[in-house]
Amino acid sequence: MTDFKTKNKTLPCKTLECKLCNKIYKRPSGLKKHKKIIKDFNTIKPSIYILPEKAIEETRQMLVYHIKEKLKQNSRHVGNVSVTIGGTESQFFGVFKGYIHNYFPKSGTYKCIFKGADAYSTLAHILKDENWGVKYFLQHQKTFVLLNSNNQDSLQESYLNKENQEPDPLQELDPLQELDPLQEPDQFNIQKSRNSLKKKIYRPKPVQIIIGWKKKIKSDVYNITSSAGFIFINFIVSRTKVYNSVYVDIE
């Protein structure tokens, strides 16, 4: 383990890690400054109302409902997913206060980042629901929010299967479209065909879930404005087969 030396003592690397974003700092002063910034992000502003617990619980249930609506049985719905839900700044703070990692004053956007081994359990604690990110179907299928990088290979296989679909072997070729053996080949079309055969490079996104809040303002030709707040959630969906508590990746 790498150690960072200070004037008085040597601190292990893990003690200089932000628990919210897992960012490592070389100096204690850097981590202290980072924590101070995050604390300011999670401070309730005058524009935010403290909601009763019942209202916060209803907001949690609403978020879980919309997340589970994206957990579908078909493999077409595997991969990166985005959810946008109407909600106030006070609702967002009521649920995620203490876990807000970024705030952008210019746009008024908040952002929480959950990743790592404890991400699922952390959100289960926040949302008060152990099954917030999982849905079960017939034929032993389980669709879930992916927060473990070890299962990312299954997403790559699913992506390649979608992008590299083989033509139907039972479909007959149109004889009118066959190439004339006496006709000189078109170099442009040949190069185009070769490029189309190249496999697309799969660049997976970080395995994490981002939850935030933003405000949208619109106006008409008479400069009459209207505004609304939205909670947005970005995550990755995957699937498995479950046989007697044994999990087998399928997508």
Side-chain angles (χ1 to χ4, degrees):
M1 181 181 297
T2 303
D3 292 342
F4 296 106
K5 294 184 179 181
T6 63
K7 293 182 179 179
N8 299 323
K9 58 183 177 180
T10 300
L11 297 175
C13 177
K14 66 178 182 179
T15 63
L16 300 179
E17 178 181 355
C18 174
K19 294 182 179 180
L20 284 180
C21 64
N22 305 120
K23 187 176 181 180
I24 303 295
Y25 286 85
K26 294 182 178 180
R27 298 179 179 84
S29 58
L31 179 60
K32 184 178 180 180
K33 183 179 179 181
H34 177 71
K35 288 183 176 180
K36 174 65 169 58
I37 293 173
I38 291 180
K39 184 178 179 180
D40 293 340
F41 292 163
N42 288 272
T43 301
I44 296 180
K45 300 174 180 59
S47 59
I48 299 175
Y49 297 95
I50 299 178
L51 300 176
E53 181 58 32
K54 179 63 177 175
I56 297 174
E57 178 59 27
E58 290 176 351
T59 303
R60 293 192 188 104
Q61 294 175 0
M62 176 186 67
L63 295 174
V64 172
Y65 172 83
H66 284 284
I67 290 173
K68 287 198 168 189
E69 277 293 287
K70 294 295 184 178
L71 304 180
K72 300 183 183 296
Q73 187 173 13
N74 198 293
S75 62
R76 291 178 301 176
H77 304 285
V78 169
N80 298 305
V81 173
S82 297
V83 178
T84 302
I85 312 158
T88 65
E89 187 178 6
S90 300
Q91 285 179 298
F92 178 79
F93 248 84
V95 177
F96 296 103
K97 180 180 179 293
Y99 297 90
I100 300 171
H101 186 261
N102 283 320
Y103 174 66
F104 305 93
K106 187 175 182 179
S107 60
T109 301
Y110 298 91
K111 187 179 291 185
C112 306
I113 302 174
F114 301 95
K115 59 183 178 180
D118 299 328
Y120 190 94
S121 59
T122 300
L123 276 166
H125 172 74
I126 294 172
L127 299 174
K128 308 297 183 186
D129 189 337
E130 293 293 332
N131 297 308
W132 68 269
V134 61
K135 186 185 287 187
Y136 297 93
F137 298 91
L138 296 176
Q139 300 178 347
H140 310 283
Q141 182 184 322
K142 171 187 172 183
T143 304
F144 61 97
V145 176
L146 181 67
L147 285 169
N148 185 355
S149 59
N150 294 332
N151 294 332
Q152 204 164 7
D153 291 341
S154 61
L155 285 177
Q156 180 175 358
E157 182 179 354
S158 174
Y159 174 85
L160 293 176
N161 288 339
K162 291 179 182 179
E163 297 295 334
N164 302 322
Q165 293 180 352
E166 296 182 355
D168 186 354
L170 300 180
Q171 184 177 0
E172 296 182 358
L173 295 175
D174 186 351
L176 298 178
Q177 295 181 353
E178 293 183 358
L179 295 177
D180 186 353
L182 299 179
Q183 184 179 1
E184 294 183 1
D186 189 336
Q187 295 299 327
F188 175 79
N189 289 330
I190 290 176
Q191 185 63 34
K192 185 177 179 181
S193 300
R194 288 176 180 175
N195 292 338
S196 65
L197 292 175
K198 291 181 180 180
K199 290 185 178 180
K200 293 185 178 180
I201 299 175
Y202 176 75
R203 295 185 177 90
K205 292 185 177 181
V207 180
Q208 61 187 14
I209 178 169
I210 297 176
I211 304 177
W213 182 88
K214 59 184 177 182
K215 185 177 183 179
K216 291 185 178 181
I217 302 175
K218 293 187 176 182
S219 60
D220 59 15
V221 293
Y222 293 106
N223 204 27
I224 300 174
T225 62
S226 58
S227 63
F230 298 89
I231 299 174
F232 60 89
I233 310 173
N234 301 326
F235 56 95
I236 302 174
V237 174
S238 186
R239 301 191 307 160
T240 63
K241 283 281 189 178
V242 184
Y243 295 107
N244 296 328
S245 299
V246 177
Y247 300 90
V248 180
D249 288 337
I250 57 176
E251 297 290 354

